[in-house]
């Protein structure tokens, strides 16, 4: 199952490691086998791992060859073997057999267009250190969860609301409209959550934050196909 979390401080203040690890530990049940984290001044990411592929070598976060691109993944990339072969032909060097490592090299090669090459269920975050850019992606059907909140201080994301609630800037004020929707529909529609200041990233969308500017973009949707030539 796994769980990912991270934060970006807009004011350039260093990440508080204790807060980051506390958020990560809140998701131990999602990933009991392993944990890891990475901090680059005002950005930090962490993950809890349920080991499935490359049990010994799949420790996350995983970086590219020169340690400038870093990734955490909750999910599975089904076509990672084919992607890896193509990337190796282009000169990319791999150090693990994990499907996660494919993401950093795919991002190096194609940037944000890399999502169109992926077949799988996933929520992942990539930190591009030279650009000071964070890119967070949720799979096409929203199989893997991704929630977030934004304050004047910065941006925080996680696989689980309980992890967000461990951040000191998070306010646990119930969204009464979401509560009413839950009683009416038996679920809370995206992008709402039960909390006022937390949102769900919609399926088939990604978040890009660069220069403290947050942008959400849809990269996929299921379009209806209308049959115009009917047999008589």
């Amino acid at each position: 199952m796994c769980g990912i979390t991270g934060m970006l401080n807009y004011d350039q203040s260093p990440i508080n490691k204790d807060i980051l690890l506390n958020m990560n530990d809140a998701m131990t049940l999602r990933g009991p086998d392993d944990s890891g984290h990475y901090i680059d001044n005002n950005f930090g990411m962490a993950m809890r791992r349920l080991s499935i592929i490359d049990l010994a070598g799949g420790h996350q976060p995983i970086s590219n060859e020169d340690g400038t691109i870093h990734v955490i993944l909750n999910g599975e990339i089904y076509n990672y073997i084919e992607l890896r072969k193509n990337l190796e032909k282009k000169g990319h060097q791999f150090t693990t057999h994990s499907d996660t490592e494919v993401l950093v090299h795919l991002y190096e090669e194609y940037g944000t267009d890399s999502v169109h090459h992926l077949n799988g269920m996933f929520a992942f975050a990539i930190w591009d250190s030279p650009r000071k850019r964070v890119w967070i992606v949720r799979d096409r059907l929203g199989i893997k969860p991704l929630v977030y909140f934004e304050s004047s201080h910065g941006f925080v994301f996680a696989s689980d609301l309980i992890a967000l609630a461990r951040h000191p800037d998070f306010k646990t004020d119930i969204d009464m409209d979401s509560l009413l929707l839950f009683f009416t529909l038996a679920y809370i529609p995206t992008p709402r959550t039960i909390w006022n200041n937390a949102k769900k990233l919609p399926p088939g969308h990604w978040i890009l934050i660069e220069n403290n500017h947050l942008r959400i973009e849809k990269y996929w949707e299921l379009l209806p196909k209308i049959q115009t030539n009917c047999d008589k």
Side-chain angles (χ1 to χ4, degrees):
M1 185 160 50
C2 300
I4 62 174
T5 188
M7 64 181 83
L8 176 70
N9 291 339
Y10 291 156
D11 60 2
Q12 304 300 312
S13 61
I15 291 297
N16 186 314
K17 180 180 176 180
D18 291 337
I19 294 174
L20 180 65
L21 296 185
N22 191 26
M23 292 171 58
N24 199 39
D25 289 344
M27 300 184 295
T28 299
L29 291 178
R30 298 187 63 90
D33 297 333
D34 190 18
S35 66
H37 71 278
Y38 170 80
I39 294 175
D40 182 6
N41 190 33
N42 65 318
F43 176 79
M45 56 166 57
M47 75 90 58
R48 296 289 321 189
R49 184 182 180 216
L50 178 65
S51 303
I52 298 176
I53 297 175
D54 193 4
L55 304 188
H59 178 77
Q60 298 184 40
I62 291 179
S63 306
N64 62 340
E65 297 94 331
D66 60 3
T68 57
I69 312 295
H70 311 268
V71 65
I72 47 176
L73 165 70
N74 170 26
E76 187 174 350
I77 308 302
Y78 301 144
N79 61 333
Y80 80 98
I81 294 177
E82 297 90 335
L83 292 173
R84 175 176 176 141
K85 289 178 180 178
N86 290 332
L87 289 165
E88 286 177 330
K89 290 177 181 178
K90 294 178 181 292
H92 294 271
Q93 298 178 0
F94 287 74
T95 59
T96 76
H97 297 285
S98 170
D99 57 340
T100 306
E101 190 177 4
V102 166
L103 295 173
V104 290
H105 300 292
L106 203 64
Y107 174 81
E108 283 183 298
E109 192 68 31
Y110 302 108
T112 57
D113 285 339
S114 60
V115 68
H116 300 296
H117 296 259
L118 297 175
N119 177 11
M121 54 176 184
F122 49 80
F124 66 84
I126 285 180
W127 173 243
D128 185 334
S129 185
R131 291 187 175 187
K132 303 303 177 185
R133 165 202 275 187
V134 58
W135 185 46
I136 303 165
V137 187
R138 192 177 182 196
D139 63 69
R140 293 168 178 81
L141 299 181
I143 298 172
K144 292 300 180 180
L146 199 291
V147 291
Y148 68 93
F149 79 93
E150 189 179 23
S151 68
S152 59
H153 184 67
F155 175 86
V156 184
F157 68 92
S159 296
D160 204 315
L161 285 171
I162 193 172
L164 293 187
R166 294 282 185 93
H167 194 282
D169 288 346
F170 188 78
K171 297 178 175 60
T172 53
D173 298 327
I174 291 178
D175 182 344
M176 301 309 294
D177 289 337
S178 292
L179 185 62
L180 178 60
L181 285 167
F182 178 77
F183 287 141
T184 304
L185 304 174
Y187 77 103
I188 298 175
T190 301
R192 312 181 78 103
T193 71
I194 193 62
W195 307 115
N196 268 320
N197 65 334
K199 295 181 179 180
K200 290 179 280 193
L201 180 63
H205 284 66
W206 51 251
I207 293 173
L208 185 72
I209 306 177
E210 194 169 11
N211 299 321
N212 290 355
H213 175 69
L214 185 150
R215 178 161 60 100
I216 299 178
E217 185 169 311
K218 180 192 294 184
Y219 69 85
W220 182 87
E221 63 180 332
L222 184 61
L223 297 173
K225 183 177 181 180
I226 300 174
Q227 186 69 40
T228 56
N229 298 320
C230 298
D231 294 333
K232 295 182 179 180

